Amino acid sequence: MNEKPKQVSAGLTKSLTTGGQSSRGKAARKSPARSIGRTKAKAEKNAPEKKPAKPKVKAKAKPKSKAANAKKPPEKVRIIPLGGLHEIGKNMTAIEYENEIIIIDCGLSFPDDDMFGIDKVIPDFSYLKNSGKKILGLLITHGHEDHIGAVPYLIKELNIPVYGNRFPLGLIENKLKEHGLTAKLNVVNAGETFRIGSNFKVEAIRITHSIVDSLCFSIDTPAGRVFHTGDFKIDYTPVDGDPIDLARLARVGDEGVLLMMAESTNVFRQGYTPSERVVGETLDGIFRDAKSRIIIATFSSNVHRIKKIIDLAQQNGRKVAVSGRSMVTVVDLAQELGYIDVPKNTIIDINQARNYSDKELVIITTGSQGEPMSALARMAANEHKAVKIKPGDRVILSSSPVPGNEITVANVVNKLIEKGAEVIYSDIAEIHVSGHASREELKLMHALIRPKYFMPVHGEYRHLQAHAELAQELGKSKDNVFILNNGDALTITGKTAVKENHVCDADGIMVDGLGVGDVGNIVLRDRRLLSESGLIILVAAIDKDARSIASGPDIISRGFVYVRENEDLIDAARHHAEDIINSCLDKNIKDWNSMKTAVREGLKKFIYNRTKRSPVILPIFLEV
């Protein structure tokens, strides 16, 4: 059996120790039979005279101590989700046994439309920071941002070992370098077993997903086995030739599973998720028919699809240019680790693309979700330095819009079509397949693992509820299915499972530039108000001793109304504010805060009555 993996260097070379095999003891030898007939008389003759035996006195039994009589409490393991429930993204789960904790995944989510200026949202680590030395390690299922994006922020707080396959650890290593951090990165391949602490024995099992080196984890604890699927789909014909290890999953189910946590993203999709090979066949036809330049936008993490695009480009005599920072990073890492074998001189610098004719060129780019600063969005807006969209370009969006991104994707598509490009997206051709299990695949996972308790994860509430109902349709008792919120806990023994509500804070922490957690609901509220109704700044110089206005008040408008076209309104507001300030001075109110409140409230009512708008009002007083 393979034991704990050793720390690896920046090259991510795998190194594991192997445990010794147990040895068998020698079989006991039998004594030879003896003949006793001839010696019986002699033995009786020489035997000494027997003395009457003394009566045996039974020893008094020692009373058992109270500790011996007391029953040992049942072993229990505690599951605490810190992200990934009632939301898409920010996946993170803590598993706690006595004084030891391990974590599965540490992802981020992208901001909602009303989170103005926020770059990303990460889990709240306060429960983990308060646990201190209990945290023994972080397990990574795969390398998508919603599972690894927050790792640098966790490592800043708790520099714990990280366990995962080569590709996700390579992505994490790059992220840590950007933040000026280092961590113990331990490579674990599918099929290997290792220990973390004294209570967790972890087995990594191969799973198929839309990114290479995806794993699920079977975790043995003294209380029982916990199984986490990670993100998965059941692809019988994966591009890399490594299908999901169904045989091992079935044996895990036979050995007994106390709790299963399974992803729920595609629980509403009937049937099965198509194989990645379907996309390859569609792209093959598109390449063969194309006489113009081909621009393909896809997820940078989808190495299988990027490899297929490069192979098709080479087969059709085209050079490949890569655009977008994350895409360049992933392609370089995939080549370094051997996941993409690129023939020499196939990939060219994006700035050299203009040196080749359209029929000789393929551009792989980021921006399949319409992100405003992505390479494809900049091309559509004519802001990309090296690539200008022109009539005849064949642009392929090899992805489906993530919920919430439909409008931004549509805007990019419209801009591309306006420039004369031929745009192919998922509504037109099968150029994208999901990486998540559909309903029948989820049923198969339940049939293989057969857990005593089930907890759906990775989805909004509607996904979790539908997955819970699916488990009950398959025969699972309603009492053994648990839907939790982030920050709740599920404590499990061999016979019981108890849900605890809100054992810790697990609201998302917002990251704005270099600031982590310094933007809260109050700041977001102000940003929302500014975006909706604009800002009015009122400036006045006041002589407190003379109880008079020395200068002003002047009004500056930003995002409220255009001043030159609304001079009457601005003048009326200024005079109204002047009356309020004079009233405060007449009442001998000299406290700045009281005066600002009076101006703010009075001006707010005045402006609302005139415009039915509620801009943010910021009074500024200067003392003379």
Side-chain angles (χ1 to χ4, degrees):
M1 180 178 292
N2 296 313
E3 295 298 332
K4 183 177 180 180
K6 294 181 180 178
Q7 179 184 352
V8 297
S9 62
L12 296 177
T13 305
K14 195 269 291 181
S15 178
L16 297 164
T17 58
T18 305
Q21 297 179 349
S22 60
S23 60
R24 290 184 174 181
K26 294 182 179 180
R29 296 180 180 178
K30 293 183 180 180
S31 299
R34 297 179 61 190
S35 174
I36 62 172
R38 291 175 297 173
T39 59
K40 186 176 180 180
K42 186 175 180 181
E44 289 177 350
K45 182 178 180 181
N46 296 330
E49 184 179 354
K50 291 183 180 180
K51 296 181 180 179
K54 294 182 179 179
K56 293 182 179 180
V57 180
K58 291 185 178 180
K60 293 182 179 180
K62 294 181 179 180
K64 293 183 178 180
S65 64
K66 291 182 179 180
N69 288 328
K71 289 185 178 180
K72 185 179 178 181
E75 307 285 358
K76 58 184 179 182
V77 61
R78 201 180 192 205
I79 313 298
I80 306 169
L82 299 173
L85 301 187
H86 300 236
E87 62 184 346
I88 300 293
K90 197 160 63 66
N91 299 291
M92 189 176 194
T93 304
I95 301 178
E96 183 174 359
Y97 182 86
E98 291 184 349
N99 62 342
E100 294 183 343
I101 296 176
I102 59 173
I103 307 165
I104 299 179
D105 290 333
C106 183
L108 57 78
S109 62
F110 294 101
D112 297 332
D113 291 338
D114 60 350
M115 293 182 178
F116 302 98
I118 300 302
D119 299 321
K120 62 194 74 170
V121 184
I122 63 174
D124 188 336
F125 304 138
S126 57
Y127 179 78
L128 301 176
K129 288 191 291 184
N130 293 336
S131 299
K133 295 182 179 179
K134 288 184 178 181
I135 316 299
L136 302 182
L138 170 64
L139 303 176
I140 299 296
T141 58
H142 64 281
H144 280 149
E145 284 294 294
D146 58 333
H147 292 259
I148 67 168
V151 171
Y153 300 96
L154 177 64
I155 295 300
K156 285 179 183 178
E157 304 289 345
L158 299 163
N159 200 337
I160 58 176
V162 183
Y163 301 84
N165 219 328
R166 289 194 305 156
F167 190 70
L169 289 191
L171 295 174
I172 289 172
E173 188 175 43
N174 287 334
K175 290 179 179 295
L176 294 176
K177 285 179 181 177
E178 291 177 4
H179 286 78
L181 300 170
T182 59
K184 296 178 182 178
L185 303 179
N186 302 283
V187 173
V188 180
N189 291 322
E192 295 176 344
T193 301
F194 56 99
R195 284 194 171 275
I196 300 180
S198 57
N199 293 307
F200 299 106
K201 181 181 177 183
V202 183
E203 180 182 1
I205 302 173
R206 184 172 62 251
I207 208 87
T208 46
H209 187 37
S210 57
I211 186 171
V212 297
D213 281 353
S214 296
L215 300 172
C216 60
F217 291 112
S218 174
I219 303 167
D220 286 335
T221 74
R225 177 172 292 177
V226 176
F227 182 81
H228 196 297
T229 66
D231 285 357
F232 78 99
K233 71 176 183 179
I234 298 178
D235 191 344
Y236 299 103
T237 57
V239 175
D240 59 8
D242 288 328
I244 183 173
D245 194 347
L246 294 175
R248 180 55 194 150
L249 293 177
R251 289 196 298 272
V252 168
D254 291 339
E255 293 164 5
V257 173
L258 184 63
L259 171 72
M260 178 172 77
M261 291 176 277
E263 72 136 318
S264 312
T265 310
N266 271 359
V267 68
F268 292 111
R269 289 193 182 182
Q270 300 295 330
Y272 297 85
T273 301
S275 171
E276 180 67 25
R277 291 186 183 274
V278 173
V279 178
E281 294 168 3
T282 304
L283 290 175
D284 190 15
I286 293 173
F287 269 74
R288 279 189 279 104
D289 294 341
K291 305 299 181 185
S292 60
R293 184 170 58 173
I294 298 175
I295 301 171
I296 302 182
T298 189
F299 292 113
S300 60
S301 60
N302 198 332
V303 175
H304 292 147
R305 196 164 301 170
I306 295 170
K307 181 180 185 301
K308 183 65 177 179
I309 293 168
I310 293 174
D311 291 344
L312 289 172
Q314 198 231 347
Q315 292 168 18
N316 289 272
R318 292 175 180 258
K319 300 294 184 182
V320 177
V322 181
S323 181
R325 182 182 177 188
S326 62
M327 187 67 73
V328 172
T329 299
V330 168
V331 170
D332 289 344
L333 178 63
Q335 290 184 82
E336 179 186 341
L337 298 179
Y339 294 102
I340 297 178
D341 185 14
V342 182
K344 191 176 181 181
N345 298 325
T346 298
I347 294 182
I348 62 171
D349 188 273
I350 189 67
N351 295 312
Q352 298 176 356
R354 63 188 62 154
N355 298 331
Y356 295 84
S357 65
D358 291 351
K359 64 180 180 181
E360 295 179 306
L361 189 63
V362 174
I363 298 173
I364 306 176
T365 179
T366 57
S368 62
Q369 295 302 304
E371 304 94 323
M373 298 305 295
S374 65
L376 184 64
R378 285 185 281 120
M379 293 177 196
N382 249 358
E383 296 174 354
H384 197 285
K385 293 181 179 180
V387 181
K388 303 296 180 185
I389 300 296
K390 54 189 176 182
D393 283 342
R394 179 168 284 188
V395 182
I396 304 167
L397 271 67
S398 187
S399 66
S400 294
V402 173
N405 290 349
E406 294 88 353
I407 295 177
T408 55
V409 172
N411 289 338
V412 170
V413 170
N414 286 329
K415 289 179 181 178
L416 292 169
I417 294 175
E418 285 175 5
K419 289 177 173 56
E422 176 193 1
V423 183
I424 302 173
Y425 47 97
S426 56
D427 291 348
I428 298 175
E430 280 192 301
I431 52 175
H432 177 70
V433 293
S434 174
H436 300 275
S438 296
R439 202 167 179 87
E440 295 303 316
E441 295 157 271
L442 293 174
K443 289 180 181 179
L444 179 55
M445 182 62 76
H446 280 267
L448 291 171
I449 302 300
R450 306 185 302 282
K452 182 170 183 178
Y453 302 107
F454 172 60
M455 175 180 154
V457 295
H458 299 186
E460 298 170 0
Y461 183 78
R462 60 193 179 99
H463 299 104
L464 305 181
Q465 180 64 38
H467 201 173
E469 292 172 356
L470 175 64
Q472 293 170 45
E473 291 173 11
L474 297 173
K476 185 70 61 187
S477 169
K478 185 177 181 180
D479 294 335
N480 289 354
V481 178
F482 297 89
I483 298 178
L484 273 66
N485 290 302
N486 294 330
D488 291 347
L490 185 64
T491 302
I492 308 173
T493 69
K495 296 181 179 180
T496 62
V498 178
K499 176 184 173 182
E500 304 171 70
N501 294 324
H502 194 73
V503 299
C504 65
D505 293 330
D507 293 331
I509 301 298
M510 286 169 277
V511 178
D512 186 357
L514 297 177
V516 179
D518 57 350
V519 176
N521 292 329
I522 295 176
V523 174
L524 280 183
R525 182 199 62 193
D526 289 343
R527 291 183 180 183
R528 192 176 302 116
L529 289 172
L530 287 169
S531 72
E532 292 172 352
S533 302
L535 170 69
I536 288 178
I537 301 174
L538 182 139
V539 183
I542 297 174
D543 186 341
K544 282 187 177 182
D545 295 332
R547 291 196 293 179
S548 64
I549 300 175
S551 176
D554 295 324
I555 288 181
I556 302 169
S557 170
R558 290 291 182 269
F560 171 54
V561 293
Y562 186 48
V563 174
R564 290 185 180 179
E565 295 179 357
N566 294 273
E567 290 181 356
D568 292 342
L569 174 63
I570 297 299
D571 285 341
R574 183 171 58 81
H575 288 305
H576 187 70
E578 185 177 4
D579 292 340
I580 297 172
I581 296 172
N582 285 326
S583 176
C584 291
L585 293 173
D586 291 342
K587 294 176 183 178
N588 201 26
I589 297 175
K590 295 184 178 181
D591 178 55
W592 287 131
N593 289 330
S594 299
M595 292 179 65
K596 287 180 180 179
T597 300
V599 171
R600 189 183 298 114
E601 295 299 324
L603 200 56
K604 179 179 179 181
K605 291 178 182 178
F606 174 81
I607 290 175
Y608 184 79
N609 289 333
R610 295 284 296 268
T611 66
K612 301 303 179 187
R613 301 181 193 176
S614 298
V616 176
I617 299 173
L618 181 62
I620 299 176
F621 295 151
L622 305 175
E623 185 174 3
V624 177

